[in-house]
Amino acid sequence: MRRIAVASGKGGVGRTTLVANLGIALAQIGKATIIVDGSLTTPNLALLFKLERVIYTLNDVLAGEATLADVMYDGPGGVKIVPAAVTLEQIRRVRSERLPEVLRELPEGTDFLLIDVPGGLRRETVSALRAGHELLLVITPQMTAVSDALKTRLVGEFLGLNPIGIVLNRTRKEEFELAGDEIKTILNLPVLAEIPEDASVKKALKLGKPVIELSPNSSASKAIKALAKKLVRMKAD
């Protein structure tokens, strides 16, 4: 099983949207995939799949009041979704330090686990990183995002994760942006995908649907599908 912690360090780079759509892309090519919202106090994954009204979430599992199987919901393409809480009462009861232990209970036959790691370096960020084996960094082509990603990489390596690469998100090819080669040099990691700024993503978010389902032939969807195939090939390398 590939356990990939998808992290950014900085918020607002489109990490959660990428996790959601990448999970669907992997499931669509036949890989048993589970996506987990590690942002236990500021969750967003449930909103992307209209799961904000479910009875049980990952927070209940971490509180010892549900099992992982209870909070694994079906998503598009066969992806499984483990959302975090959106109610204040559930958030108050969270025990983020239990996340690595809880995620050992994943079903046999799972090919990919994608963990949406919250921004910053909070306790829940460390717990989400500790639940992964590999680290995939999602950044936008600005120096602030690259700087935060570098800090996240260092923390991830300290925790024993293997950094596998960078996803350069929301690129516009404008003069103020850092080039992919510059970012590759700064972070000393390969750029696995460049996902362009795409109006289809904003439209999908507004409609509450994954872009890979709403606009499968959009430039962003094509780049995400190519990333999914690249991750699968990396497993065989």
Side-chain angles (χ1 to χ4, degrees):
M1 182 196 306
R2 303 278 299 279
R3 293 173 172 262
I4 303 176
V6 184
S8 58
K10 185 180 185 297
V13 301
R15 183 197 63 249
T16 299
T17 301
L18 175 69
V19 169
N21 285 281
L22 180 58
I24 296 169
L26 286 165
Q28 286 178 339
I29 56 177
K31 298 301 175 182
T33 304
I34 299 170
I35 54 178
V36 172
D37 195 341
S39 301
L40 301 169
T41 59
T42 53
N44 286 306
L45 197 59
L47 302 175
L48 297 182
F49 291 101
K50 298 182 179 179
L51 293 173
E52 62 270 26
R53 297 182 182 275
V54 296
I55 297 174
Y56 295 112
T57 70
L58 179 58
N59 297 58
D60 297 297
V61 180
L62 296 172
E65 298 175 4
T67 68
L68 192 60
D70 293 330
V71 301
M72 205 171 290
Y73 299 93
D74 294 329
V79 70
K80 300 290 184 181
I81 306 143
V82 179
V86 293
T87 68
L88 186 58
E89 180 56 35
Q90 287 175 310
I91 289 171
R92 282 174 178 161
R93 294 184 290 113
V94 71
R95 291 177 58 195
S96 62
E97 70 278 3
R98 293 195 62 227
L99 184 60
E101 170 194 344
V102 162
L103 292 183
R104 294 193 194 109
E105 303 170 11
L106 291 170
E108 285 188 29
T110 302
D111 295 308
F112 282 88
L113 167 68
L114 303 182
I115 306 163
D116 183 14
V117 179
L121 292 174
R122 297 169 283 170
R123 179 182 297 179
E124 63 180 358
T125 306
V126 173
S127 295
L129 287 170
R130 287 180 54 234
H133 293 162
E134 300 171 271
L135 177 63
L136 180 64
L137 294 170
V138 182
I139 61 173
T140 51
Q142 285 84 39
M143 184 53 76
T144 52
V146 175
S147 176
D148 286 343
L150 180 57
K151 297 168 192 171
T152 303
R153 175 187 173 158
L154 293 173
V155 172
E157 287 184 300
F158 177 78
L159 295 171
L161 276 75
N162 174 33
I164 58 173
I166 305 159
V167 175
L168 199 51
N169 200 27
R170 303 182 64 181
T171 61
R172 299 179 183 179
K173 301 298 183 184
E174 295 182 353
E175 288 184 9
F176 65 85
E177 295 182 342
L178 292 172
D181 286 344
E182 292 178 275
I183 294 169
K184 175 182 175 180
T185 300
I186 294 169
L187 293 175
N188 193 27
L189 285 172
V191 175
L192 301 181
E194 291 195 28
I195 301 173
E197 184 74 54
D198 188 338
S200 298
V201 177
K202 294 179 181 179
K203 181 180 179 181
L205 289 171
K206 185 176 181 180
L207 295 175
K209 293 184 177 181
V211 68
I212 205 167
E213 279 225 312
L214 185 68
S215 302
N217 294 317
S218 66
S219 56
S221 295
K222 288 179 179 177
I224 293 169
K225 290 176 184 178
L227 173 60
K229 291 177 181 177
K230 184 172 288 188
L231 290 175
V232 171
R233 290 196 301 270
M234 286 174 66
K235 183 178 180 181
D237 291 344

